[in-house]
Amino acid sequence: MATQTMTRTSTAYEPGVNSKKVNLALQGGGAHGAFAWGVLDKLLEDGRVTFDAVSATSAGAMNATVLGYGLTIGGAEGAREELEKFWKKISDEGAKGPLQPSMIDKMMGNNSLENSPAFMFFDILSRIMSPYELNPMNINPLRQVLESCIDFNVLREGCPIKLFLSATNVRTGKVRMFENHEIGPDQVLASGCLPFLFHSVMIDGEAYWDGGYMGNPAIFPLIYGSETNDVVIVHINPLNRYEIPKNAKDILNRINEISFNSSLMREMRAIAFVSHLIDDGQLDDQKHRRMLIHSIQDEPFMTSLGVTSKMNSDWRFLTELRDVGRRCAATWLDEHLDDVGVRASTDIKSSFL
């Protein structure tokens, strides 16, 4: 597993008297990242947990960066405002393009683009032509959204939480972690660069693709770069599906889910192994860290969404995802807040192994 030197940031974002500090691990998943927006919104509103470090990928990296910027300029309420502003701009920008739910999709209430003529045409083209052929000018509306929402100089100089954004080095296949002092639009876009949709992002002479291939999200930065043992994973991609996919679209979607979850499952296996050795007295718990894993997710809801809904930026759909995320976060707070700092609330063996 690749490791890198971890830098420290300021600790201006301090917990309140009765709050507990956790690390966050935010998965990617396109528009489904609005679920994580809802989770963050509820945790920020509640105030009983604060954040030490965030490891994130793709849409998770965008959430993490906006979260860090909002905390920098306005604390918890500022972060809530900036997250809503960001997702509204995503929706507004998406409304300008051709990829919209068709009338049939809207009537069926499936939040997908499966019957959108523009999407079907684009989907066929993307299978036979690369982004370099389809978009030779490398126009990416996400760049404008990021630059309009975030002052990256302010973020780099004053972010009160540690940020770790994953990207995949195209040449070496290794994970690259971008930290606070180096985060700009390119680093965020690199973390979310799906190679069938976007040009690879060039940074210091290296090309990068989506970080989900090597860490969705990566947990190791939270082990080496944070003093907090609790990690709250916000799941976007379902670990389990109970129906066997049989059409080409569903098969491809499940392949992507499995591959984008594989690195997380490997890290969970390693954490479980270390915890087992500590429990058996083979490792000194004063010298080795026991990571306490927690999960916020709604797998039944996420499995009900079609793969094309990841590209649906309709504001009604995004706010529905937000509201589901808020409810899941509220349930987790009610059921597991007392576990923070004491024990893991996720059974790694049953969930990941």
Side-chain angles (χ1 to χ4, degrees), residues 106-175:
K106 291 180 179 179
M107 290 174 62
M108 294 178 65
N110 58 14
N111 295 308
S112 75
L113 304 177
E114 292 178 3
N115 297 291
S116 164
F119 174 79
M120 289 188 283
F121 179 68
F122 174 77
D123 187 47
I124 293 171
L125 275 184
S126 67
R127 296 175 190 273
I128 58 176
M129 298 179 69
S130 79
Y132 297 88
E133 297 167 311
L134 289 173
N135 182 16
M137 300 299 293
N138 195 21
I139 298 170
N140 188 342
L142 285 174
R143 180 179 293 276
Q144 284 71 45
V145 172
L146 288 167
E147 291 177 343
S148 68
C149 288
I150 301 168
D151 185 330
F152 284 94
N153 288 324
V154 170
L155 176 75
R156 287 189 292 267
E157 293 173 3
C159 183
I161 59 176
K162 294 176 281 291
L163 300 177
F164 304 105
L165 311 186
S166 303
T168 302
N169 186 305
V170 178
R171 185 178 58 84
T172 67
K174 295 179 180 179
V175 65

Side-chain angles (χ1 to χ4, degrees), residues 128-302:
I128 58 176
M129 298 179 69
S130 79
Y132 297 88
E133 297 167 311
L134 289 173
N135 182 16
M137 300 299 293
N138 195 21
I139 298 170
N140 188 342
L142 285 174
R143 180 179 293 276
Q144 284 71 45
V145 172
L146 288 167
E147 291 177 343
S148 68
C149 288
I150 301 168
D151 185 330
F152 284 94
N153 288 324
V154 170
L155 176 75
R156 287 189 292 267
E157 293 173 3
C159 183
I161 59 176
K162 294 176 281 291
L163 300 177
F164 304 105
L165 311 186
S166 303
T168 302
N169 186 305
V170 178
R171 185 178 58 84
T172 67
K174 295 179 180 179
V175 65
R176 172 75 161 88
M177 303 306 305
F178 295 108
E179 302 178 45
N180 296 50
H181 67 281
E182 56 191 337
I183 292 175
D186 285 340
Q187 287 71 22
V188 181
L189 291 173
S191 184
C193 179
L194 290 171
F196 296 108
L197 298 179
F198 304 111
H199 294 209
S200 60
V201 178
M202 300 300 299
I203 300 172
D204 297 329
E206 293 283 1
Y208 292 96
W209 282 343
D210 196 293
Y213 296 110
M214 296 303 296
N216 191 26
I219 304 299
F220 75 87
L222 304 177
I223 299 174
Y224 299 121
S226 168
E227 297 177 359
T228 302
N229 291 344
D230 291 89
V231 177
V232 179
I233 304 173
V234 181
H235 293 270
I236 301 296
N237 297 297
L239 290 168
N240 304 289
R241 280 192 181 269
Y242 300 101
E243 294 183 2
I244 305 300
K246 294 183 178 179
N247 63 52
K249 173 177 58 62
D250 290 341
I251 291 171
L252 181 60
N253 180 45
R254 187 56 182 156
I255 289 171
N256 286 334
E257 287 177 346
I258 291 171
S259 62
F260 271 44
N261 279 323
S262 62
S263 58
L264 176 63
M265 296 180 77
R266 287 194 298 271
E267 288 195 283
M268 289 296 104
R269 192 172 293 117
I271 290 171
F273 179 66
V274 171
S275 297
H276 176 71
L277 292 179
I278 292 174
D279 290 340
D280 283 357
Q282 298 181 53
L283 289 179
D284 185 349
D285 62 1
Q286 299 300 311
K287 296 180 180 180
H288 299 86
R289 298 184 66 179
R290 181 195 298 275
M291 302 306 291
L292 306 178
I293 304 300
H294 313 274
S295 297
I296 298 178
Q297 60 186 316
D298 189 336
E299 196 163 78
F301 177 75
M302 286 301 180

Side-chain angles (χ1 to χ4, degrees), residues 316-332:
R316 183 199 58 78
F317 178 50
L318 296 181
T319 54
E320 178 185 355
L321 285 161
R322 176 203 62 193
D323 293 345
V324 173
R326 280 181 56 86
R327 288 196 296 271
C328 290
T331 299
W332 180 82

